[in-house]
Amino acid sequence: MSEDKFDTLRIHGGFNPEEHENAAQIPIYQSAAFTLGTAVQGDAIASGVVTGSYTYSRVGNPTVNTLEKRIAALDGGVDAVAVGSGMAAITYAILNVAEGGGRIIAPYDIYGAALDEFEKLFPKYGINFDLVENVNDFEKIQSLIQPDTKAIYVESVSNPTTEIADIEKLAEIAHQANIPLIVDNTFSTPYLLRPIEFGADIVVYSSTKGISGHGNVVSGLIVDGGNFDWANGKYPQFQENEYSLKNVNFPKNYSFSNVFGKQAFIKRIRMKYVRLMGAVLGPVDAYLELLGLETITERLDKEVATSLKIAKFLEKNPHVKKVYYSALPDSPQYELAAKYFPKGIGTVLSFELDGTPEQTDQVIDATHVFLYLPNVGDSRSLIVNPSKITHREIPEERRLKSHITDQLLRLSIGLEDSDDLINDLEGAINSAFNK
Ligand SMILES: *Cc1c(COP(=O)(O)O)cnc(C)c1O
């Protein structure tokens, strides 16, 4: 199976009909728990000597597990775990590396709720963030690494200004310091970018977005590339004995890193965070996501082509001051885009209106095809004003440094006819400037 290419894996990855009553499509296992067989079998399952059996759906569920195996295959990872939201994926990945306290380096230009969590909530748990203005300021990042720095965290393409992170260089810097690189790959999806191939260790997703692709689930995924050594001495949580892992095979050293080796990261998230903190994904949501994944190639090919067409249209519009879409030939990141994103950088772009905040509101109100809401990666095209909605919790001064002015509008491009989308935007902009 692992030799199959992306388009085969997105349909078949992680699923064998013979293990599911020969069902062609993955059944929805809407069951909270699973029978354990005999008492002897129950003991073997509970002790971890027998693997692959299900016990309780907070720990594992066949429908959810198919999604987990499929995303691991699509991303070239060794294992994955699904959780209840993208924020849960980010939270659990950060807690799993920095449990007990430590520092993490990240850029300011990240998802608004993640920035709020990093700046305000995690420090209350002893996890502090060194935030940088520019994700590709390698010298600055290197200078911030301290003995208790536990990871570098970046978004492959930032929200809303589509800054591309130079993952290969960032992974090099992280690995020199014996720490992992965590990449939020939500905007790209594994179809446009596979961060593990460029050296990333952990990939997190809000699969609410382009992976499920239809705006009908809230969900998150964490994928492990399996190349990081969690027993390097910097992560005691992986090296301490974990009583629930003790069994006849591991009577003495039953730590996560000893029992699971380089697959310890996801096992630990599943057993310590999903099982104990409980942000579990339900089987119906996992099913919807698997269904969405089946058409990811066709969806993204069309949406990316339309995004580029719309970016070029906006660039020429006299009422647009600036377009943020790093795939445009005159973008300062054009070379990085060509290196990391031969199939295009994605379906999200932003533009700054050359007008007043009131005119910006009027553009939102005058669009008919674009829906006004805070989401991306839907099959419907979406428009939002980040300064008032998605990045509202970020203080104005900080927002402006990230180019999030009151005149910035973010678009997420769906599957509608591209001419209709352009006409909708052009009509809305004209109406705002003719008032
Ligand atoms: C939406 C989003 C998140 C949060 O995901 P939820 O599924 O809404 O919790 C995290 N990162 C990025 C880049 C996002 O777009």
Side-chain angles (χ1 to χ4, degrees):
M1 193 63 100
S2 63
E3 280 166 29
D4 286 334
K5 295 196 173 66
F6 188 94
D7 276 352
T8 304
L9 292 170
R10 60 156 171 169
I11 306 284
H12 296 287
F15 182 69
N16 177 1
E18 288 172 17
E19 294 166 8
H20 303 272
E21 305 289 354
N22 298 314
Q25 177 60 282
I26 175 73
I28 300 170
Y29 286 87
Q30 193 67 34
S31 182
F34 301 83
T35 57
L36 301 171
T38 64
V40 168
Q41 287 167 333
D43 186 49
I45 292 168
S47 71
V49 171
V50 167
T51 56
S53 292
Y54 296 94
T55 57
Y56 190 65
S57 281
R58 177 157 40 72
V59 184
N61 172 284
T63 313
V64 179
N65 195 229
T66 300
L67 171 65
E68 292 167 338
K69 287 194 225 157
R70 192 162 296 176
I71 197 73
L74 290 175
D75 248 322
V78 292
D79 201 1
V81 63
V83 289
S85 70
M87 283 313 300
I90 293 169
T91 302
Y92 288 179
I94 297 289
L95 289 173
N96 206 31
V97 289
E99 196 176 291
R103 311 193 67 81
I104 290 182
I105 300 168
Y108 278 106
D109 283 338
I110 50 174
Y111 186 68
L115 183 63
D116 194 16
E117 184 184 41
F118 291 2
E119 280 196 299
K120 306 274 165 53
L121 184 59
F122 272 136
K124 294 184 176 172
Y125 290 86
I127 301 171
N128 292 295
F129 284 76
D130 294 305
L131 298 167
V132 296
E133 296 286 342
N134 173 358
V135 66
N136 296 323
D137 186 345
F138 309 120
E139 266 177 46
K140 174 86 185 167
I141 288 173
Q142 212 146 16
S143 77
L144 288 170
I145 295 176
Q146 297 175 42
D148 64 341
T149 299
K150 304 286 186 175
I152 298 174
Y153 173 98
V154 302
E155 290 181 1
S156 49
V157 176
S158 81
N159 170 26
T161 53
T162 77
E163 284 287 308
I164 297 167
D166 194 338
I167 291 173
E168 211 163 57
K169 289 238 178 72
L170 292 163
E172 230 174 81
I173 293 169
H175 296 159
Q176 269 165 18
N178 291 319
I179 59 174
L181 175 66
I182 303 174
V183 176
D184 179 337
N185 197 39
T186 296
F187 276 27
S188 312
T189 82
Y191 176 64
L192 297 178
L193 177 75
R194 290 152 47 100
I196 292 165
E197 285 176 0
F198 292 98
D201 300 286
I202 304 297
V203 183
V204 294
Y205 290 103
S206 166
S207 41
T208 311
K209 316 292 170 55
I211 285 182
S212 60
H214 296 79
N216 53 5
V217 290
V218 172
S219 55
L221 297 163
I222 308 167
V223 186
D224 179 8
N227 298 310
F228 193 79
D229 179 12
W230 300 103
N232 69 6
K234 271 182 165 304
Y235 304 91
Q237 65 272 33
F238 285 90
Q239 293 187 273
E240 66 202 14
N241 273 342
E242 168 67 29
Y243 189 70
S244 59
L245 298 179
K246 186 179 181 182
N247 64 33
V248 290
N249 299 330
F250 296 95
K252 278 226 167 72
N253 184 350
Y254 38 92
S255 66
F256 274 95
S257 65
N258 197 50
V259 174
F260 298 115
K262 291 196 170 169
Q263 299 195 16
F265 192 83
I266 295 295
K267 298 283 188 205
R268 195 166 189 284
I269 289 194
R270 191 185 294 286
M271 288 186 64
K272 301 304 281 188
Y273 288 100
V274 183
R275 187 175 66 91
L276 301 183
M277 291 194 171
V280 65
L281 188 69
V284 174
D285 285 350
Y287 172 83
L288 288 171
E289 220 163 302
L290 284 160
L291 200 56
L293 258 179
E294 292 193 359
T295 53
I296 189 168
T297 301
E298 289 74 14
R299 281 190 285 111
L300 281 174
D301 278 347
K302 172 161 182 180
E303 290 170 353
V304 165
T306 305
S307 299
L308 190 59
K309 195 168 161 187
I310 289 176
K312 287 180 174 165
F313 152 76
L314 287 169
E315 247 189 340
K316 290 206 206 88
N317 189 290
H319 301 300
V320 171
K321 200 192 261 178
K322 187 165 169 55
V323 178
Y324 294 94
Y325 192 60
S326 302
L328 285 170
D330 56 2
S331 152
Q333 289 201 306
Y334 186 64
E335 273 181 33
L336 276 185
K339 171 177 175 174
Y340 287 103
F341 295 97
K343 288 183 276 198
I345 65 155
T347 64
V348 176
L349 62 137
S350 298
F351 66 99
E352 189 175 19
L353 206 68
D354 197 0
T356 63
E358 292 70 32
Q359 284 171 316
T360 313
D361 286 351
Q362 284 160 10
V363 171
I364 292 172
D365 292 345
T367 52
H368 302 293
V369 185
F370 281 85
L371 301 183
Y372 176 45
L373 58 81
N375 194 13
V376 298
D378 196 330
S379 49
R380 277 145 282 272
S381 290
L382 315 171
I383 187 167
V384 78
N385 42 348
S387 72
K388 298 247 181 67
I389 308 292
T390 57
H391 291 63
R392 192 185 182 97
E393 63 266 53
I394 296 171
E396 187 180 7
E397 194 191 305
R398 177 66 257 151
R399 257 201 295 116
L400 294 179
K401 278 193 189 167
S402 300
H403 311 289
I404 302 170
T405 64
D406 290 333
Q407 287 93 327
L408 190 77
L409 289 168
R410 184 186 78 188
L411 305 177
S412 171
I413 304 305
L415 290 169
E416 302 94 336
D417 186 281
S418 62
D419 291 336
D420 289 345
L421 293 172
I422 286 174
N423 288 340
D424 195 35
L425 284 174
E426 189 166 36
I429 292 171
N430 286 343
S431 85
F433 282 87
N434 290 336
K435 278 207 169 132

